[in-house]
Amino acid sequence: MAARLSRLEDAIDYHFTTPALLEQAVTHRSHNAKHNERLEFLGDSVLNFVVASLLYKQFDRIDEGDLSRIRANLVKQSTLAEIAQKLNLSDFLRLGEGELKSGGFRRPSILSDALEAVFGAVYLDGGFEAAAYVISRQYEPILLTVDPKTLGKDPKTLLQEMLQGRRLDLPVYLVVATHGAAHSQVFDVECRIDKLDIVVQASGNSRRAAEQAAALQAIERVEAIEPLKTSRSARRRH
Amino acid sequence: MAARLSRLEDAIDYHFTTPALLEQAVTHRSHNAKHNERLEFLGDSVLNFVVASLLYKQFDRIDEGDLSRIRANLVKQSTLAEIAQKLNLSDFLRLGEGELKSGGFRRPSILSDALEAVFGAVYLDGGFEAAAYVISRQYEPILLTVDPKTLGKDPKTLLQEMLQGRRLDLPVYLVVATHGAAHSQVFDVECRIDKLDIVVQASGNSRRAAEQAAALQAIERVEAIEPLKTSRSARRRH
């Protein structure tokens, strides 16, 4: 076991004084009583703080509402699960038999919880600076690609902002058809931007989902028509 | 201004290398553009983490759900506003005229936001250890009095747990009367614990509020009848 965990230490570039802490961090509650949930509580909060600090320093002119939105996106389950996959965290998880059989090592919630617990374990073992280093190292490549204007916004909001930036009217959404039985309805929604001659259509299991899917298509069309304006308005903002 | 803020530095026992950060921390958005909202974002997250760490270390056997509940109670607006009052933070606030006239310096939301911003400013000025020191110093007296079994639980939950600990039946709540018009109704609720011969009554603007008020009275009665058992079961838990 110790040999295996040293590969995880290499991956996060931190070596434990007390390796039992790392072992606990990768132990799911289905495995045994010394599981990772308390460490996850601690790791979640050090992660939130370190990411807040990184964002505060990187984006010195965006307001706290946008900082919160971006952070929420960076610490959400799916982002954490992606980081966990890059670290091959699933190779090190200790799960109970039931979870093993049902593929728990692939489940995003189990992966993201264990990753938070690893951050918490690093903090307990090496102090705040060690945890900040380990977390920053995983987030720096992600932060290079963050567009603070768009990250974490839903397509309808983004489309609306794009059109407002061009002084165009809001898009019009229309349910053009519904199919299926009451419990499994599918909505077909059309999104129209008349001034740009854009009409796109998308489907979803709710009206809202179909509208978001249609907005996403419309965004691609607007960007194809007027790419320059998009990047200019992004530059102006920061 | 500098002379005034040095009194705040004395109160938090931290002296700034860059006093402009502290000045920004006490500046409400109604005062001018260089206000404290970004610092509040940062301060909120360092506060959450430091309190999480203090709780993790102080309560080594309670689970993450209870840790979350206790932390939520310790970092909520009213707790922060109380700390701000002890520090006389309102003496240092920089508010716009409108807020000044309407007594904004007494408003819990403005006080708690400014306190979080002060924590954020200390972190930027002196690093994590400085912020952890300043925050811990305010929370250590509070943590001495925290009962992890009860803090942040509502009276109905507490009463139920007390009775379960004594192997007694659940209390019975009964609406005995309602008064007033539809939009301003008052509910009278009775709470009965037959085995202990307890019947108490309380009022509230909703059925739930009245039940909680009645539960609070019932708790006092149960504790008066059986004080020893309460403290024994509390001891057993930790």
Side-chain angles (χ1 to χ4, degrees):
Chain A
M1 173 60 68
R4 285 180 59 219
L5 281 179
S6 74
R7 286 198 292 122
L8 179 55
E9 292 181 321
D10 291 343
I12 63 173
D13 196 23
Y14 178 79
H15 292 77
F16 279 76
T17 307
T18 307
L21 280 168
L22 182 57
E23 193 164 310
Q24 185 177 347
V26 297
T27 303
H28 187 256
R29 69 174 302 133
S30 62
H31 186 275
N32 71 35
K34 211 166 166 59
H35 58 70
N36 62 9
E37 291 187 357
R38 275 172 50 94
L39 286 173
E40 180 206 334
F41 167 76
L42 196 57
D44 171 79
S45 65
V46 69
L47 170 68
N48 268 282
F49 169 49
V50 171
V51 172
S53 178
L54 291 171
L55 292 175
Y56 185 95
K57 289 167 185 175
Q58 175 164 341
F59 301 111
D60 56 355
R61 289 170 62 184
I62 71 177
D63 71 27
E64 61 294 341
D66 288 336
L67 290 171
S68 292
R69 166 177 52 78
I70 298 166
R71 180 178 57 177
N73 200 275
L74 293 175
V75 301
K76 71 181 181 188
Q77 190 180 87
S78 60
T79 308
L80 290 172
E82 281 170 30
I83 295 173
Q85 269 154 6
K86 273 197 298 181
L87 295 169
N88 293 316
L89 194 58
S90 58
D91 294 353
F92 307 98
L93 289 181
R94 288 149 42 101
L95 301 172
E97 282 211 23
E99 287 292 350
L100 263 180
K101 281 182 186 153
S102 67
F105 49 88
R106 278 191 304 268
R107 198 173 311 148
S109 62
I110 288 180
L111 285 168
S112 68
D113 290 352
L115 180 62
E116 289 184 331
V118 168
F119 294 149
V122 172
Y123 164 67
L124 283 183
D125 193 73
F128 175 71
E129 294 304 329
Y133 168 75
V134 167
I135 293 167
S136 302
R137 202 165 155 272
Q138 295 308 314
Y139 274 94
E140 268 155 15
I142 300 173
L143 286 173
L144 287 176
T145 68
V146 161
D147 180 350
K149 207 181 129 197
T150 58
L151 185 72
K153 284 188 185 168
D154 64 85
K156 282 183 70 176
T157 304
L158 283 175
L159 179 60
Q160 182 181 327
E161 290 179 356
M162 279 177 101
L163 297 178
Q164 284 169 338
R166 289 162 172 78
R167 304 187 185 285
L168 293 170
D169 290 342
L170 295 183
V172 174
Y173 297 93
L174 206 68
V175 177
V176 291
T178 58
H179 330 263
H183 61 284
S184 62
Q185 252 186 321
V186 174
F187 295 78
D188 294 344
V189 163
E190 189 179 273
C191 172
R192 305 179 66 97
I193 306 163
D194 289 338
K195 275 276 175 55
L196 300 177
D197 276 334
I198 291 175
V199 185
V200 292
Q201 200 170 310
S203 304
N205 291 319
S206 68
R207 181 179 171 156
R208 189 187 134 79
E211 287 180 353
Q212 297 290 4
L216 199 60
Q217 290 189 33
I219 286 170
E220 285 165 13
R221 295 286 297 278
V222 177
E223 277 176 343
I225 296 173
E226 311 198 2
L228 269 178
K229 282 197 188 165
T230 319
S231 54
R232 214 188 305 145
S233 73
R235 249 179 278 133
R236 208 181 305 137
R237 175 86 182 264
H238 299 285
Chain B
M1 173 60 69
R4 284 181 59 219
L5 281 179
S6 75
R7 285 198 292 124
L8 179 55
E9 292 181 321
D10 291 343
I12 63 174
D13 197 23
Y14 178 80
H15 291 79
F16 280 76
T17 307
T18 307
L21 280 168
L22 183 57
E23 194 164 310
Q24 186 177 347
V26 296
T27 303
H28 188 255
R29 70 174 302 132
S30 63
H31 187 274
N32 71 35
K34 212 164 166 62
H35 58 68
N36 63 9
E37 291 187 357
R38 276 172 49 93
L39 286 173
E40 180 204 334
F41 167 76
L42 196 57
D44 172 79
S45 66
V46 68
L47 169 68
N48 268 281
F49 169 49
V50 170
V51 172
S53 178
L54 290 172
L55 292 176
Y56 186 94
K57 289 168 185 175
Q58 175 165 339
F59 301 111
D60 58 354
R61 289 170 63 184
I62 72 177
D63 71 27
E64 60 293 343
D66 288 336
L67 289 171
S68 292
R69 167 177 52 78
I70 297 166
R71 179 177 58 177
N73 200 273
L74 293 176
V75 302
K76 70 181 181 190
Q77 190 180 86
S78 59
T79 308
L80 290 172
E82 280 170 30
I83 295 174
Q85 271 155 2
K86 272 196 297 179
L87 296 170
N88 293 316
L89 193 58
S90 58
D91 294 353
F92 307 98
L93 288 181
R94 287 148 44 100
L95 301 172
E97 281 212 26
E99 287 292 352
L100 263 180
K101 281 182 189 156
S102 67
F105 48 88
R106 278 191 303 266
R107 199 174 309 148
S109 63
I110 289 182
L111 284 169
S112 68
D113 291 353
L115 180 63
E116 289 184 331
V118 168
F119 294 150
V122 172
Y123 165 67
L124 284 183
D125 193 74
F128 174 72
E129 294 304 330
Y133 168 74
V134 167
I135 294 167
S136 301
R137 200 164 156 273
Q138 295 308 315
Y139 274 94
E140 267 155 17
I142 300 172
L143 286 173
L144 287 177
T145 68
V146 161
D147 180 349
K149 207 181 131 198
T150 58
L151 186 73
K153 285 188 184 166
D154 65 84
K156 282 182 72 177
T157 305
L158 284 175
L159 178 60
Q160 182 181 327
E161 290 178 357
M162 278 177 103
L163 298 178
Q164 284 169 339
R166 290 164 171 78
R167 304 184 187 287
L168 294 170
D169 289 342
L170 294 185
V172 175
Y173 297 92
L174 205 69
V175 177
V176 291
T178 59
H179 331 262
H183 60 285
S184 62
Q185 254 187 321
V186 174
F187 294 78
D188 295 343
V189 163
E190 187 179 275
C191 172
R192 305 179 65 97
I193 307 164
D194 288 339
K195 274 275 174 59
L196 300 178
D197 276 332
I198 291 175
V199 186
V200 292
Q201 199 170 312
S203 303
N205 291 319
S206 68
R207 181 178 170 155
R208 190 186 134 77
E211 286 180 354
Q212 296 290 5
L216 199 60
Q217 290 189 32
I219 287 171
E220 285 166 14
R221 295 285 298 276
V222 176
E223 277 176 342
I225 296 173
E226 309 198 1
L228 268 177
K229 281 195 185 167
T230 318
S231 55
R232 214 189 303 146
S233 73
R235 248 180 278 135
R236 210 181 302 137
R237 174 89 182 263
H238 296 285

